[in-house]
Amino acid sequence: MREFLLVLAELLLLILKTVYYICKFTYRSIVPKRKKSVAGEIVLITGAGHGIGKELAICYASLGATVVCWDINEETNNETMNDIKQIGKNSVYAYRCNVADREDVFRVAEKVRKEVGDVTILVNNAGIVFIKSFFNQNPDEIARVIETNVTAHYWTLKAFLPSMVKKNHGHIVALSSIAGLICGPYGTVYCPTKFAVKAIMEAMSEELRVLSNGKSSVQFTTIYPSLVYTGIVKKVKIRFPRLMGGISPQEAASLIIDAQRKNMSHKSLPSILLLLSRLLQYLPDEAHGAILDFFDTGVYPDD
């Protein structure tokens, strides 16, 4: 009987906590969160040589952060650094790094620690895609996508998360994709990698919560962009452009930084897509497919 009463008490406490957290979430959804400052933070952005990564680097620099640009393409990475210096922000560094190469990540990370300091905001932005039918994907392409889009997150987290945990201060931002929530044709390799990013972030956040007894101040933000006009996707089909149209890399970067500064755990671009993806999970598969057919939005294969 005593054990039963204890479980009942725990259950009642759980219900009260759940109601409280629902009210808290509702309140925060209505009342805008105050944005935290990033001035003085050391922000490392992977894939900073072009697209969203480049715009993130410029935006963070303009907000007073020290920016560390990583990219496998040294030329475009240096261009990003120079563009930032041209707007009068000199606290910026550029390093060539192949994030899919574990030894390269650890080597360059150590160099960053010595030359710049401990990274306090890590933005795992780098990613690649081959928009092809599974039957036309060759093994090397499959391996490259997995190594860049998934495995690289483990190496950068290993390199930079321990110092954040030690200081109990830091923020991890990872770019997943709407394709990591709603799968489509020609994404048999890309979509699973973006699902994996979501899982890594949620598992890591939960692990720190448990290990710290809920006292960890390290934040995690996962971003789910839809179509961003970076040039990576060449052939797009959109039935309702006004509703499902894409955004520019500049706009995407602004929304991502806004989410990070508000400590949002999840953010889709546009916001409605995260809610839509959750609703689709509760529908029968046939209804799910019918809705996707109606919107008829996706990509055409490159091959």
Side-chain angles (χ1 to χ4, degrees), residues 236-271:
V236 181
K237 61 173 179 176
I238 304 175
R239 184 179 182 187
F240 303 108
R242 291 186 179 181
L243 179 64
M244 308 290 287
I247 60 176
S248 69
Q250 294 90 339
E251 186 178 355
S254 177
L255 292 170
I256 291 166
I257 294 175
D258 185 74
Q260 180 265 314
R261 294 181 65 193
K262 290 180 178 178
N263 287 337
M264 297 177 70
S265 56
H266 299 274
K267 172 73 174 178
S268 65
L269 312 178
S271 298

Side-chain angles (χ1 to χ4, degrees), residues 147-262:
E147 288 166 0
T148 304
N149 294 7
V150 182
T151 314
H153 287 253
Y154 289 106
W155 309 148
T156 56
L157 286 170
K158 276 288 189 182
F160 300 114
L161 184 57
S163 66
M164 297 183 191
V165 172
K166 184 178 180 180
K167 296 178 179 179
N168 199 25
H169 174 79
H171 205 129
I172 307 294
V173 181
L175 269 72
S176 177
S177 171
I178 288 299
L181 299 174
I182 304 173
C183 292
Y186 314 115
T188 49
V189 179
Y190 182 75
C191 292
T193 66
K194 292 304 182 178
F195 265 95
V197 170
K198 176 179 182 292
I200 291 169
M201 291 289 281
E202 290 182 356
M204 193 70 255
S205 176
E206 179 63 9
E207 185 169 307
L208 281 192
R209 185 187 71 82
V210 172
L211 291 177
S212 70
N213 247 351
K215 296 178 181 179
S216 175
S217 294
V218 178
Q219 302 292 322
F220 292 82
T221 298
T222 308
I223 305 294
Y224 308 92
S226 181
L227 176 61
V228 181
Y229 293 115
T230 61
I232 294 177
V233 178
K234 302 293 191 299
K235 305 172 184 177
V236 181
K237 61 173 179 176
I238 304 175
R239 184 179 182 187
F240 303 108
R242 291 186 179 181
L243 179 64
M244 308 290 287
I247 60 176
S248 69
Q250 294 90 339
E251 186 178 355
S254 177
L255 292 170
I256 291 166
I257 294 175
D258 185 74
Q260 180 265 314
R261 294 181 65 193
K262 290 180 178 178

Side-chain angles (χ1 to χ4, degrees), residues 8 54 56-57 61 78 85-86 107 112 116 144 156 159 172 201 220 232 251 271 290 301-302:
L8 182 62
K54 178 171 185 171
L56 284 169
N78 286 335
K85 288 183 176 180
Q86 285 179 5
R107 178 184 61 80
V112 169
V116 186
R144 282 182 59 196
T156 56
I172 307 294
M201 291 289 281
F220 292 82
I232 294 177
E251 186 178 355
S271 298
D302 294 333

Side-chain angles (χ1 to χ4, degrees), residues 79-99:
E79 286 176 3
T80 297
M81 178 179 66
N82 293 332
D83 287 346
I84 291 172
K85 288 183 176 180
Q86 285 179 5
I87 62 173
K89 303 294 181 179
N90 294 313
S91 193
V92 55
Y93 303 82
Y95 298 86
R96 183 193 179 282
C97 183
N98 177 6
V99 293

